[in-house]
Amino acid sequence: MNPVVVELVALCVLFAGVAAVWWRARGRGVLSDGGTVQRDAVISEFSRLQDEAVRWLTTTDHKDVGLLYIAFGTVAGLWGGVDAMMMRTELLTPAADIWTPETYNALFTTHGLTMLIFFVAPVFFGIGNYFLPLLLGADDMAFPRVNAIGFWLLPPALLFARAGLFIQVGGQVLNTFVEADAIRFLLTVREVGVGWTLYAPLSIQSPNPQLDLLLLGLHLSGIATTVGAINFIATVFYERGEGVTWAELDIFSWNMLVTSGIALFAFPLLGSAIIMLLLDRNFGTTFFTADGGGAILWQHLFWFWGHPEVYILFLPATGLMSLILPKFVGRKLFGFRAVVYSTLGLSVLSFGVWAHHMFTTGVDPRIRASFMAVSIAIAVPSAIKVFNWLTTMWDGDIRMTAPLILCAGGIGTFIIGGVTGVFLAVIPIDILYHGTYYVVGHFHLIVVGIIPFMMIAASYYWYPLITGRWYDRRLARFQAILLVFGGTVAFMTLLVIGGLGLPRRQAIYPAEYQLAQQIATVGSYVVGISALLWLYNMLASYWTGDQVETTDPWDLKRTNQFTNEWQWFESRMVDKYDMTPHEPETTRPSYAPEAEATSSLTAGAVGSTWQVVASNASFAAIGGFVGTLLMAGGLGTAALVGVFDLAALAELGELVGLPQTPAVGAALFLAGGTVTWPLLFLAFSDYLPGRLLFETGLVFATIISSGFLIAFYSGQSGLALVGYVGFVLVAHWAYGIGLAVTFQFLQAKRRERFWGGG
């Protein structure tokens, strides 16, 4: 198969599908009664589209520019996603029998650059453009025309960077009619395959002319990002409305301000390094050659931009998390000031860790040690954010919406991605795993885990404000669960095979890793399907979604979290549609729980005694099943690292007169976790310490873990014994949380149905 043709066809099919959804959902009838197109209707429609095109091409309104940024970033993300799906398709088999290794390298290069440069940053800049003035009470961005220019630099930058695809296809088509000598340039241009880090000397020696166009596109995008960053900084400093002091500045604006500061220092450096690389390629300078500055100089300059760039992508996502999460748990953000300080700390430390990407290059050991120390220290402000998010959720009135699912999933994937990053900050571990899929898994658990999760959560949260309509909320919850599941399966699998030593960035791999690669590919396909479901929901709902009939769609006034952008929305709905401002029947402070917390399983029970007992037993069984599955993940990991022997489960079969095999033991273990232990928890929960059911579940799990430790001990000693104890405790805590939280959720649903039906 010709890969460039396949990629171009996939893109055409994708965007044709988008156009079909748009046309179908828009539902404008231009046919006469006889079925022929009315000439006046067509002319009117064409004129309207022409006026719309002129408006969008010349607008300086911050909301319109923000939507342009988001649309551009979505297109780039879909393009980069096609690259990713083609890569994962190649990795279904150990041999390079779908694409060639050269094609795989090109896909790997373009996927990385498209996603990092043209997808994430533009989308976050678009969200910032739309909502920052609303949150600040400003009329517009500080420099509206410069703001528009900053955006319109991006489309040509993307075309420069990805021109190789179109030039290559065009050259192949022309070659059927024109001699090869006449179009030799078109036939020599192809997608760049030197890796997204563009390491010298390969990037200097590559004869591919597209590499020069790529560098020009990256330089142009850097100018656009710098212009946008200056605008954000000026807007936050000088355009805040009355009453929006520094103390009252919202958390997302803080994060966009810090992100812009990082971009202002990082991107000019990248631009300078790109110019030096272009000079080396075309004018014989020696910045990155062996007789000049050396190839390692490029790595230093690239990663001095590259690691702050990670936080340029990450910090807006954490800002959205800190803004959106409290709205759906009924609590204000815990430790607001600590979260702000952690953001400032990350911005400073991000410039002091670039050489941890270069531990394998022979850097002086003393310098490596200093970078290791700072790289480990950078985990502290990240951990502050995580603990504050978890504390915000603690004892909250959780609403299981799509944004909440994505927030919770993002916290989970970020914890795993962050902890594995701490491992990679340690020099011996990094040297061992630097060239493996472990790095790929770690990186993607963050850049795919929390970043797109929060983009989509923001799109759901603000969709009623932007469009005045509701999206399909049932489909959104399904899409959110699918995205979290697919991302976890794909990138956790990469962590495992990386831990086993599989090298990354290679199209060919040993056959024993095929099953794991196939599992990761299926997880990636699930991520791709969920992205398409999101896109369909957003487009179709714009014309067919239910109209928003209240000025407070998320019922934020009830917890006093009706922030500035929703106040703007309310004013618009009142002025434009003569709506009456929504006022809730009751309100409470956002820092107080909605009701008195209790750990009793029968608190708030409804129905007869028999109904309560029967439903509690069934809820406990469901919770026990969920908890046992979570526990199995911890024990499976313990078995994988060699601190727990699964054969010890076989003894369970002997106790009940069944065959003494691990399979029988695992089945009995599942049955006991689903029936026996939940019933004991049900019986003794009122006598266990803990103000909340969540706390009681942890106490119960800790108690029963002691019996497990003794029953399944198989002679471990030293570090193996420490690992055995640690994994058993963590696995049992997962069981306790799964049991208690599932029970509490089902119990709340039961009360809701009872009182709603009454």
PDB file of all heavy atoms in Angstrom, residues 598-601 681 685 690-698 736 739-741 743-745 747:
ATOM      1  N   THR A 598     -22.028  10.529  57.152  1.00  0.00           N
ATOM      2  CA  THR A 598     -22.151   9.394  58.055  1.00  0.00           C
ATOM      3  C   THR A 598     -21.572   8.167  57.390  1.00  0.00           C
ATOM      4  O   THR A 598     -21.567   8.053  56.172  1.00  0.00           O
ATOM      5  CB  THR A 598     -23.624   9.132  58.434  1.00  0.00           C
ATOM      6  OG1 THR A 598     -23.680   7.985  59.262  1.00  0.00           O
ATOM      7  CG2 THR A 598     -24.478   8.910  57.199  1.00  0.00           C
ATOM      8  N   SER A 599     -21.094   7.255  58.209  1.00  0.00           N
ATOM      9  CA  SER A 599     -20.531   6.021  57.667  1.00  0.00           C
ATOM     10  C   SER A 599     -21.515   4.864  57.743  1.00  0.00           C
ATOM     11  O   SER A 599     -21.187   3.756  57.365  1.00  0.00           O
ATOM     12  CB  SER A 599     -19.262   5.643  58.442  1.00  0.00           C
ATOM     13  OG  SER A 599     -19.579   5.388  59.799  1.00  0.00           O
ATOM     14  N   SER A 600     -22.714   5.101  58.262  1.00  0.00           N
ATOM     15  CA  SER A 600     -23.669   4.000  58.427  1.00  0.00           C
ATOM     16  C   SER A 600     -24.204   3.548  57.084  1.00  0.00           C
ATOM     17  O   SER A 600     -24.577   4.348  56.238  1.00  0.00           O
ATOM     18  CB  SER A 600     -24.835   4.442  59.318  1.00  0.00           C
ATOM     19  OG  SER A 600     -25.801   3.417  59.401  1.00  0.00           O
ATOM     20  N   LEU A 601     -24.278   2.235  56.903  1.00  0.00           N
ATOM     21  CA  LEU A 601     -24.792   1.693  55.658  1.00  0.00           C
ATOM     22  C   LEU A 601     -26.300   1.833  55.545  1.00  0.00           C
ATOM     23  O   LEU A 601     -26.855   1.748  54.459  1.00  0.00           O
ATOM     24  CB  LEU A 601     -24.408   0.214  55.536  1.00  0.00           C
ATOM     25  CG  LEU A 601     -22.913  -0.077  55.378  1.00  0.00           C
ATOM     26  CD1 LEU A 601     -22.683  -1.573  55.372  1.00  0.00           C
ATOM     27  CD2 LEU A 601     -22.377   0.542  54.116  1.00  0.00           C
ATOM     28  N   PHE A 681     -18.430  -6.752  55.931  1.00  0.00           N
ATOM     29  CA  PHE A 681     -18.369  -5.289  55.962  1.00  0.00           C
ATOM     30  C   PHE A 681     -19.738  -4.713  56.292  1.00  0.00           C
ATOM     31  O   PHE A 681     -19.870  -3.764  57.077  1.00  0.00           O
ATOM     32  CB  PHE A 681     -17.882  -4.789  54.601  1.00  0.00           C
ATOM     33  CG  PHE A 681     -17.795  -3.290  54.501  1.00  0.00           C
ATOM     34  CD1 PHE A 681     -17.065  -2.545  55.418  1.00  0.00           C
ATOM     35  CD2 PHE A 681     -18.443  -2.614  53.478  1.00  0.00           C
ATOM     36  CE1 PHE A 681     -16.983  -1.165  55.314  1.00  0.00           C
ATOM     37  CE2 PHE A 681     -18.363  -1.242  53.370  1.00  0.00           C
ATOM     38  CZ  PHE A 681     -17.633  -0.508  54.289  1.00  0.00           C
ATOM     39  N   SER A 685     -19.765  -2.590  59.761  1.00  0.00           N
ATOM     40  CA  SER A 685     -19.379  -1.234  59.374  1.00  0.00           C
ATOM     41  C   SER A 685     -19.728  -0.202  60.444  1.00  0.00           C
ATOM     42  O   SER A 685     -18.989   0.769  60.645  1.00  0.00           O
ATOM     43  CB  SER A 685     -20.048  -0.857  58.048  1.00  0.00           C
ATOM     44  OG  SER A 685     -21.458  -0.857  58.197  1.00  0.00           O
ATOM     45  N   GLY A 690     -14.255   5.775  61.511  1.00  0.00           N
ATOM     46  CA  GLY A 690     -14.345   6.477  60.237  1.00  0.00           C
ATOM     47  C   GLY A 690     -15.617   7.277  60.157  1.00  0.00           C
ATOM     48  O   GLY A 690     -16.710   6.744  60.339  1.00  0.00           O
ATOM     49  N   ARG A 691     -15.481   8.570  59.870  1.00  0.00           N
ATOM     50  CA  ARG A 691     -16.651   9.434  59.786  1.00  0.00           C
ATOM     51  C   ARG A 691     -17.430   9.175  58.503  1.00  0.00           C
ATOM     52  O   ARG A 691     -18.640   9.353  58.447  1.00  0.00           O
ATOM     53  CB  ARG A 691     -16.201  10.897  59.844  1.00  0.00           C
ATOM     54  CG  ARG A 691     -17.331  11.917  59.903  1.00  0.00           C
ATOM     55  CD  ARG A 691     -16.779  13.307  60.131  1.00  0.00           C
ATOM     56  NE  ARG A 691     -15.914  13.730  59.045  1.00  0.00           N
ATOM     57  CZ  ARG A 691     -16.340  14.415  57.985  1.00  0.00           C
ATOM     58  NH1 ARG A 691     -17.611  14.748  57.885  1.00  0.00           N
ATOM     59  NH2 ARG A 691     -15.516  14.770  57.041  1.00  0.00           N
ATOM     60  N   LEU A 692     -16.723   8.763  57.437  1.00  0.00           N
ATOM     61  CA  LEU A 692     -17.337   8.541  56.145  1.00  0.00           C
ATOM     62  C   LEU A 692     -17.297   7.058  55.795  1.00  0.00           C
ATOM     63  O   LEU A 692     -16.448   6.310  56.278  1.00  0.00           O
ATOM     64  CB  LEU A 692     -16.602   9.334  55.056  1.00  0.00           C
ATOM     65  CG  LEU A 692     -16.513  10.849  55.262  1.00  0.00           C
ATOM     66  CD1 LEU A 692     -15.607  11.451  54.230  1.00  0.00           C
ATOM     67  CD2 LEU A 692     -17.885  11.478  55.202  1.00  0.00           C
ATOM     68  N   LEU A 693     -18.196   6.654  54.921  1.00  0.00           N
ATOM     69  CA  LEU A 693     -18.179   5.281  54.446  1.00  0.00           C
ATOM     70  C   LEU A 693     -16.857   4.976  53.740  1.00  0.00           C
ATOM     71  O   LEU A 693     -16.315   3.873  53.842  1.00  0.00           O
ATOM     72  CB  LEU A 693     -19.356   5.056  53.493  1.00  0.00           C
ATOM     73  CG  LEU A 693     -19.657   3.607  53.108  1.00  0.00           C
ATOM     74  CD1 LEU A 693     -20.032   2.804  54.335  1.00  0.00           C
ATOM     75  CD2 LEU A 693     -20.764   3.557  52.067  1.00  0.00           C
ATOM     76  N   PHE A 694     -16.333   5.962  53.036  1.00  0.00           N
ATOM     77  CA  PHE A 694     -15.040   5.829  52.359  1.00  0.00           C
ATOM     78  C   PHE A 694     -13.951   5.476  53.367  1.00  0.00           C
ATOM     79  O   PHE A 694     -13.140   4.561  53.150  1.00  0.00           O
ATOM     80  CB  PHE A 694     -14.747   7.165  51.663  1.00  0.00           C
ATOM     81  CG  PHE A 694     -13.397   7.264  51.023  1.00  0.00           C
ATOM     82  CD1 PHE A 694     -13.191   6.790  49.741  1.00  0.00           C
ATOM     83  CD2 PHE A 694     -12.330   7.841  51.698  1.00  0.00           C
ATOM     84  CE1 PHE A 694     -11.954   6.892  49.136  1.00  0.00           C
ATOM     85  CE2 PHE A 694     -11.088   7.946  51.109  1.00  0.00           C
ATOM     86  CZ  PHE A 694     -10.902   7.478  49.821  1.00  0.00           C
ATOM     87  N   GLU A 695     -13.923   6.183  54.482  1.00  0.00           N
ATOM     88  CA  GLU A 695     -12.918   5.929  55.513  1.00  0.00           C
ATOM     89  C   GLU A 695     -13.123   4.550  56.148  1.00  0.00           C
ATOM     90  O   GLU A 695     -12.162   3.818  56.419  1.00  0.00           O
ATOM     91  CB  GLU A 695     -12.990   7.014  56.584  1.00  0.00           C
ATOM     92  CG  GLU A 695     -12.705   8.414  56.050  1.00  0.00           C
ATOM     93  CD  GLU A 695     -13.056   9.482  57.067  1.00  0.00           C
ATOM     94  OE1 GLU A 695     -13.648   9.148  58.110  1.00  0.00           O
ATOM     95  OE2 GLU A 695     -12.752  10.653  56.816  1.00  0.00           O
ATOM     96  N   THR A 696     -14.376   4.187  56.374  1.00  0.00           N
ATOM     97  CA  THR A 696     -14.675   2.885  56.963  1.00  0.00           C
ATOM     98  C   THR A 696     -14.196   1.749  56.072  1.00  0.00           C
ATOM     99  O   THR A 696     -13.673   0.735  56.542  1.00  0.00           O
ATOM    100  CB  THR A 696     -16.188   2.759  57.211  1.00  0.00           C
ATOM    101  OG1 THR A 696     -16.644   3.881  57.964  1.00  0.00           O
ATOM    102  CG2 THR A 696     -16.516   1.480  57.957  1.00  0.00           C
ATOM    103  N   GLY A 697     -14.376   1.913  54.758  1.00  0.00           N
ATOM    104  CA  GLY A 697     -13.898   0.908  53.822  1.00  0.00           C
ATOM    105  C   GLY A 697     -12.398   0.728  53.876  1.00  0.00           C
ATOM    106  O   GLY A 697     -11.884  -0.397  53.810  1.00  0.00           O
ATOM    107  N   LEU A 698     -11.655   1.834  54.031  1.00  0.00           N
ATOM    108  CA  LEU A 698     -10.198   1.740  54.148  1.00  0.00           C
ATOM    109  C   LEU A 698      -9.797   1.012  55.433  1.00  0.00           C
ATOM    110  O   LEU A 698      -8.871   0.187  55.428  1.00  0.00           O
ATOM    111  CB  LEU A 698      -9.574   3.139  54.115  1.00  0.00           C
ATOM    112  CG  LEU A 698      -9.521   3.837  52.756  1.00  0.00           C
ATOM    113  CD1 LEU A 698      -8.946   5.243  52.908  1.00  0.00           C
ATOM    114  CD2 LEU A 698      -8.681   3.048  51.769  1.00  0.00           C
ATOM    115  N   GLY A 736     -11.126  -1.850  49.388  1.00  0.00           N
ATOM    116  CA  GLY A 736     -11.975  -1.115  50.318  1.00  0.00           C
ATOM    117  C   GLY A 736     -12.621   0.095  49.678  1.00  0.00           C
ATOM    118  O   GLY A 736     -13.808   0.377  49.886  1.00  0.00           O
ATOM    119  N   LEU A 739     -15.302  -1.143  47.130  1.00  0.00           N
ATOM    120  CA  LEU A 739     -16.476  -1.646  47.836  1.00  0.00           C
ATOM    121  C   LEU A 739     -17.321  -0.509  48.403  1.00  0.00           C
ATOM    122  O   LEU A 739     -18.534  -0.429  48.160  1.00  0.00           O
ATOM    123  CB  LEU A 739     -16.028  -2.597  48.955  1.00  0.00           C
ATOM    124  CG  LEU A 739     -17.085  -3.050  49.970  1.00  0.00           C
ATOM    125  CD1 LEU A 739     -18.190  -3.826  49.267  1.00  0.00           C
ATOM    126  CD2 LEU A 739     -16.444  -3.897  51.062  1.00  0.00           C
ATOM    127  N   ALA A 740     -16.683   0.388  49.158  1.00  0.00           N
ATOM    128  CA  ALA A 740     -17.423   1.433  49.859  1.00  0.00           C
ATOM    129  C   ALA A 740     -18.004   2.471  48.903  1.00  0.00           C
ATOM    130  O   ALA A 740     -19.171   2.871  49.033  1.00  0.00           O
ATOM    131  CB  ALA A 740     -16.511   2.107  50.887  1.00  0.00           C
ATOM    132  N   VAL A 741     -17.206   2.918  47.937  1.00  0.00           N
ATOM    133  CA  VAL A 741     -17.679   3.960  47.026  1.00  0.00           C
ATOM    134  C   VAL A 741     -18.790   3.426  46.129  1.00  0.00           C
ATOM    135  O   VAL A 741     -19.783   4.121  45.881  1.00  0.00           O
ATOM    136  CB  VAL A 741     -16.502   4.511  46.198  1.00  0.00           C
ATOM    137  CG1 VAL A 741     -16.997   5.444  45.112  1.00  0.00           C
ATOM    138  CG2 VAL A 741     -15.517   5.239  47.103  1.00  0.00           C
ATOM    139  N   PHE A 743     -20.885   0.994  46.842  1.00  0.00           N
ATOM    140  CA  PHE A 743     -22.064   0.853  47.691  1.00  0.00           C
ATOM    141  C   PHE A 743     -22.734   2.217  47.903  1.00  0.00           C
ATOM    142  O   PHE A 743     -23.955   2.351  47.788  1.00  0.00           O
ATOM    143  CB  PHE A 743     -21.680   0.239  49.033  1.00  0.00           C
ATOM    144  CG  PHE A 743     -22.864  -0.042  49.920  1.00  0.00           C
ATOM    145  CD1 PHE A 743     -23.440  -1.303  49.939  1.00  0.00           C
ATOM    146  CD2 PHE A 743     -23.416   0.955  50.717  1.00  0.00           C
ATOM    147  CE1 PHE A 743     -24.540  -1.558  50.745  1.00  0.00           C
ATOM    148  CE2 PHE A 743     -24.515   0.710  51.513  1.00  0.00           C
ATOM    149  CZ  PHE A 743     -25.076  -0.556  51.533  1.00  0.00           C
ATOM    150  N   GLN A 744     -21.921   3.224  48.223  1.00  0.00           N
ATOM    151  CA  GLN A 744     -22.477   4.555  48.490  1.00  0.00           C
ATOM    152  C   GLN A 744     -23.159   5.119  47.248  1.00  0.00           C
ATOM    153  O   GLN A 744     -24.233   5.729  47.337  1.00  0.00           O
ATOM    154  CB  GLN A 744     -21.361   5.482  48.957  1.00  0.00           C
ATOM    155  CG  GLN A 744     -21.852   6.792  49.547  1.00  0.00           C
ATOM    156  CD  GLN A 744     -20.725   7.564  50.211  1.00  0.00           C
ATOM    157  OE1 GLN A 744     -19.575   7.473  49.806  1.00  0.00           O
ATOM    158  NE2 GLN A 744     -21.046   8.313  51.239  1.00  0.00           N
ATOM    159  N   PHE A 745     -22.555   4.908  46.082  1.00  0.00           N
ATOM    160  CA  PHE A 745     -23.141   5.407  44.838  1.00  0.00           C
ATOM    161  C   PHE A 745     -24.488   4.728  44.565  1.00  0.00           C
ATOM    162  O   PHE A 745     -25.482   5.385  44.241  1.00  0.00           O
ATOM    163  CB  PHE A 745     -22.169   5.157  43.687  1.00  0.00           C
ATOM    164  CG  PHE A 745     -22.730   5.475  42.331  1.00  0.00           C
ATOM    165  CD1 PHE A 745     -22.875   6.787  41.911  1.00  0.00           C
ATOM    166  CD2 PHE A 745     -23.121   4.456  41.469  1.00  0.00           C
ATOM    167  CE1 PHE A 745     -23.398   7.083  40.664  1.00  0.00           C
ATOM    168  CE2 PHE A 745     -23.645   4.740  40.224  1.00  0.00           C
ATOM    169  CZ  PHE A 745     -23.783   6.055  39.820  1.00  0.00           C
ATOM    170  N   GLN A 747     -26.440   3.261  46.712  1.00  0.00           N
ATOM    171  CA  GLN A 747     -27.399   3.641  47.746  1.00  0.00           C
ATOM    172  C   GLN A 747     -28.007   5.010  47.446  1.00  0.00           C
ATOM    173  O   GLN A 747     -29.213   5.225  47.607  1.00  0.00           O
ATOM    174  CB  GLN A 747     -26.694   3.651  49.099  1.00  0.00           C
ATOM    175  CG  GLN A 747     -27.636   3.739  50.307  1.00  0.00           C
ATOM    176  CD  GLN A 747     -26.864   3.786  51.600  1.00  0.00           C
ATOM    177  OE1 GLN A 747     -25.941   4.586  51.729  1.00  0.00           O
ATOM    178  NE2 GLN A 747     -27.226   2.950  52.544  1.00  0.00           N
TER     179      GLN A 747
END
